[in-house]
Amino acid sequence: KEAVSLGIPLTIDLRPVEFGGGWRSSIGQRRQGAWYVGGGLLHLVYRETSKFATVGENTDTTFNGAVIFAGADVRLWRFIVGGGEVQFRSVPNALGDGGASLAFKETNLGGATARGLIGVRF
Protein backbone atom coordinates (compact mmCIF):
# COMPACT_ATOMS: atom_id res chain seq x y z
CA LYS A 1 0.00 0.00 0.00
CA GLU A 2 1.13 3.55 -0.66
CA ALA A 3 0.14 6.66 1.30
CA VAL A 4 -1.28 9.48 -0.82
CA SER A 5 -1.52 13.02 0.56
CA LEU A 6 -4.85 14.76 0.17
CA GLY A 7 -3.37 18.11 1.16
CA ILE A 8 -5.68 18.42 4.18
CA PRO A 9 -3.77 19.30 7.38
CA LEU A 10 -4.43 16.91 10.28
CA THR A 11 -3.14 17.31 13.83
CA ILE A 12 -2.70 14.15 15.91
CA ASP A 13 -2.12 14.62 19.65
CA LEU A 14 -1.04 11.68 21.83
CA ARG A 15 -0.82 12.22 25.60
CA PRO A 16 0.44 9.14 27.46
CA VAL A 17 0.23 8.82 31.24
CA GLU A 18 2.13 5.89 32.77
CA PHE A 19 1.67 4.31 36.20
CA GLY A 20 4.40 1.82 36.98
CA GLY A 21 6.76 0.21 39.40
CA GLY A 22 9.74 -2.06 39.33
CA TRP A 23 12.80 -3.59 40.92
CA ARG A 24 16.20 -1.87 41.23
CA SER A 25 19.44 -3.59 42.30
CA SER A 26 22.90 -2.15 42.90
CA ILE A 27 25.95 -3.41 41.02
CA GLY A 28 29.24 -4.06 42.80
CA GLN A 29 30.48 -3.70 46.37
CA ARG A 30 30.79 0.10 46.13
CA ARG A 31 27.38 0.52 44.48
CA GLN A 32 28.85 2.28 41.47
CA GLY A 33 25.89 1.32 39.32
CA ALA A 34 22.47 -0.28 39.23
CA TRP A 35 20.12 -2.15 36.93
CA TYR A 36 16.34 -2.07 37.00
CA VAL A 37 13.26 -3.65 35.42
CA GLY A 38 9.62 -2.72 35.70
CA GLY A 39 6.22 -2.45 34.18
CA GLY A 40 2.94 -0.70 34.51
CA LEU A 41 -0.27 0.58 33.03
CA LEU A 42 -0.56 3.15 30.26
CA HIS A 43 -3.49 5.53 29.76
CA LEU A 44 -3.40 7.27 26.37
CA VAL A 45 -5.45 10.29 25.31
CA TYR A 46 -5.75 10.34 21.49
CA ARG A 47 -7.02 13.34 19.52
CA GLU A 48 -7.27 14.01 15.78
CA THR A 49 -8.29 17.49 14.66
CA SER A 50 -8.54 19.26 11.34
CA LYS A 51 -9.65 22.82 10.67
CA PHE A 52 -11.70 21.47 7.73
CA ALA A 53 -13.56 18.85 9.80
CA THR A 54 -17.31 18.98 10.15
CA VAL A 55 -19.21 18.16 13.34
CA GLY A 56 -18.35 14.64 14.50
CA GLU A 57 -15.29 14.17 12.25
CA ASN A 58 -12.66 15.08 14.86
CA THR A 59 -11.60 12.28 17.23
CA ASP A 60 -11.16 12.59 21.00
CA THR A 61 -10.86 9.26 22.83
CA THR A 62 -8.77 7.33 25.34
CA PHE A 63 -7.16 3.88 25.36
CA ASN A 64 -5.47 1.71 27.99
CA GLY A 65 -2.40 -0.46 27.56
CA ALA A 66 0.76 -1.72 29.22
CA VAL A 67 4.42 -0.75 29.45
CA ILE A 68 7.58 -2.69 30.34
CA PHE A 69 11.07 -1.26 30.73
CA ALA A 70 14.64 -2.16 31.72
CA GLY A 71 17.82 -0.17 32.14
CA ALA A 72 21.09 0.39 33.91
CA ASP A 73 23.14 3.32 35.15
CA VAL A 74 26.70 3.83 36.45
CA ARG A 75 28.39 6.56 38.45
CA LEU A 76 30.60 8.60 36.10
CA TRP A 77 31.94 11.20 38.53
CA ARG A 78 30.86 12.09 42.09
CA PHE A 79 27.11 12.76 41.75
CA ILE A 80 26.95 12.37 37.94
CA VAL A 81 25.49 9.14 36.50
CA GLY A 82 25.04 7.90 32.94
CA GLY A 83 22.98 5.04 31.63
CA GLY A 84 20.46 3.71 29.20
CA GLU A 85 16.96 2.30 29.10
CA VAL A 86 14.74 0.34 26.71
CA GLN A 87 10.96 0.48 26.85
CA PHE A 88 8.07 -1.24 25.09
CA ARG A 89 4.49 0.06 25.11
CA SER A 90 1.44 -1.79 23.87
CA VAL A 91 -1.95 -0.19 23.25
CA PRO A 92 -3.81 -2.96 21.38
CA ASN A 93 -6.88 -2.38 19.20
CA ALA A 94 -6.52 1.40 19.35
CA LEU A 95 -6.40 1.81 15.57
CA GLY A 96 -7.48 -0.03 12.44
CA ASP A 97 -11.11 1.02 11.99
CA GLY A 98 -10.45 3.33 9.05
CA GLY A 99 -8.07 5.56 7.15
CA ALA A 100 -4.36 4.82 6.87
CA SER A 101 -4.37 2.52 9.91
CA LEU A 102 -6.86 0.21 8.18
CA ALA A 103 -4.98 0.31 4.87
CA PHE A 104 -1.63 -0.52 6.53
CA LYS A 105 -3.18 -2.99 9.03
CA GLU A 106 -1.91 -1.00 12.03
CA THR A 107 -3.91 -1.68 15.20
CA ASN A 108 -1.47 -0.92 18.04
CA LEU A 109 -0.47 2.58 19.18
CA GLY A 110 2.50 1.15 21.11
CA GLY A 111 6.08 0.61 20.12
CA ALA A 112 9.66 0.33 21.33
CA THR A 113 12.10 3.05 22.31
CA ALA A 114 15.65 3.34 23.63
CA ARG A 115 17.05 6.30 25.54
CA GLY A 116 20.32 7.41 27.03
CA LEU A 117 20.57 9.44 30.20
CA ILE A 118 22.88 11.72 32.12
CA GLY A 119 21.73 12.65 35.60
CA VAL A 120 22.53 13.70 39.16
CA ARG A 121 22.19 11.24 42.02
CA PHE A 122 22.85 12.06 45.70
Side-chain angles (χ1 to χ4, degrees), residues 13-77:
D13 184 24
L14 299 171
R15 302 223 175 169
V17 178
E18 295 177 9
F19 303 94
W23 181 265
R24 183 175 178 86
S25 181
S26 296
I27 300 171
Q29 295 288 342
R30 298 175 59 193
R31 297 181 167 215
Q32 293 296 316
W35 61 270
Y36 57 92
V37 295
L41 302 175
L42 172 65
H43 181 75
L44 183 68
V45 176
Y46 179 86
R47 292 188 180 108
E48 285 183 16
T49 56
S50 174
K51 63 182 178 180
F52 298 109
T54 61
V55 175
E57 287 185 330
N58 287 326
T59 301
D60 187 356
T61 189
T62 61
F63 301 102
N64 294 311
V67 59
I68 58 172
F69 54 90
D73 57 55
V74 294
R75 186 174 308 277
L76 300 175
W77 180 74

